[in-house]
Amino acid sequence: MPVSSMKRVLLKLSGEVLMGDQQFGIDPAFVMELAKEVKAAKDTGLEICLVIGGGNIFRGMAGAAQGMDRAQADYMGMLATVMNALAMQNALEQLGVQTRVQSALQMDQVCEPVIRRRAERHLEKGRVVIFAAGVGAPYFTTDSGAALRAAEMKCDALLKGTSVDGVYDSDPKKNSEAKRFETVTYSKVLADDLKVMDASAVALCRDNNIPIVVFSIREKGNLARVIAGEGTQTVVQN
Ligand code: UDP
């Protein structure tokens, strides 16, 4: 299905894009720029589910590398994704976009728990649903959370907005000869360990036939271009 004919998408943003030009944390001005991109996408009539990572605040692996218990550190990472979700909710609502945050870790005072049928209703009513805390379990990432929500919400595609403009055959930051794929199969991504998303997320998309569209969210207007079927991107599919 061409991206331009999709009705419902899941947009996954890495936590690091919320940092803007900072080294850490949340840059509210940059979050507002991202929110404008999301609003523009929504204004085309798309239903949007959003998953935001937490890497700008805390990654479980980094904590574990410094001697923390991995599961404990992962729960901290999940909490970081809730902070990012609330920051994005704030920005979207300042732009007049109705949103709901649903977290896989229950946190009644700040957001709803994940309830699929309720999320469906929010989307029908034109709200953006932001899914926080990944899958709600340690040893996973928000990429897996994104793949899981894309499958259960029956999204037509998983759009992965990151700081590179697609999938390359080697790291473009280290190798100037690196080539970007226009399309690439799930099997090649897994066999060659291409850096798209972690393997469990890619496998879940493959098993449920959900195309993954990898593009740069750092360029202004790029999300709208990708949705219009233009712009620079890589599509991972069968
Ligand atoms: N995390 C987790 N389970 C999940 C989702 C996230 O344990 O289902 C933790 C994990 O420690 C991860 C951190 O939350 O490192 C932040 O998420 P992620 O690394 O996916 O963020 P991103 O790289 O997209 O910013």
Side-chain angles (χ1 to χ4, degrees):
M1 184 190 279
V3 181
S4 51
S5 58
M6 291 176 177
K7 292 181 71 166
R8 179 180 293 179
V9 294
L10 186 138
L11 174 63
K12 157 79 208 287
L13 300 177
S14 327
E16 61 178 24
V17 299
L18 271 61
M19 299 190 297
D21 295 325
Q22 299 174 177
Q23 295 300 309
F24 172 83
I26 298 172
D27 177 349
F30 201 79
V31 177
M32 183 54 82
E33 292 308 309
L34 292 170
K36 287 180 189 161
E37 299 269 318
V38 175
K39 180 180 189 310
K42 202 191 154 299
D43 288 346
T44 67
L46 269 181
E47 291 179 346
I48 300 189
C49 302
L50 206 55
V51 167
I52 309 176
N56 54 320
I57 300 172
F58 196 82
R59 276 208 179 88
M61 291 272 263
Q66 290 177 307
M68 285 187 72
D69 175 77
R70 170 74 193 270
Q72 180 83 345
D74 277 341
Y75 279 109
M76 290 172 65
M78 285 182 254
L79 294 178
T81 73
V82 179
M83 291 174 67
N84 284 339
L86 295 182
M88 179 56 79
Q89 175 173 47
N90 175 73
L92 282 168
E93 296 209 329
Q94 284 182 351
L95 295 173
V97 180
Q98 292 259 331
T99 62
R100 291 291 185 274
V101 175
Q102 291 201 343
S103 169
L105 293 180
Q106 209 155 329
M107 236 179 276
D108 297 343
Q109 279 75 6
V110 292
C111 56
E112 298 177 357
V114 176
I115 299 175
R116 184 179 62 85
R117 285 169 176 275
R118 194 185 269 190
E120 276 289 347
R121 188 83 186 109
H122 292 323
L123 292 170
E124 274 169 26
K125 287 190 170 176
R127 297 173 182 144
V128 170
V129 181
I130 308 173
F131 291 103
V135 305
Y139 298 94
F140 284 95
T141 66
T142 50
D143 283 346
S144 293
L148 173 66
R149 301 300 169 217
E152 71 171 334
M153 297 310 296
K154 301 189 175 55
C155 293
D156 297 314
L158 193 167
L159 310 182
K160 168 139 174 149
T162 181
S163 32
V164 279
D165 61 0
V167 182
Y168 284 77
D169 58 0
S170 58
D171 186 350
K173 286 178 188 144
K174 293 182 190 146
N175 176 8
S176 58
E177 306 279 288
K179 283 208 181 68
R180 187 179 55 79
F181 296 101
E182 282 296 319
T183 59
V184 60
T185 62
Y186 303 107
S187 328
K188 185 168 174 64
V189 167
L190 291 172
D192 295 359
D193 196 18
L194 298 175
K195 302 289 171 233
V196 179
M197 301 200 299
D198 47 69
S200 54
V202 175
L204 197 54
C205 287
R206 179 194 60 195
D207 295 350
N208 293 285
N209 212 7
I210 301 166
I212 307 167
V213 182
V214 184
F215 68 100
S216 167
I217 190 78
R218 285 190 179 268
E219 278 168 58
K220 223 175 173 173
N222 215 18
L223 176 59
R225 280 195 287 280
V226 165
I227 284 166
E230 300 157 8
T232 308
Q233 67 216 281
T234 297
V235 182
V236 185
Q237 56 194 14
N238 265 321

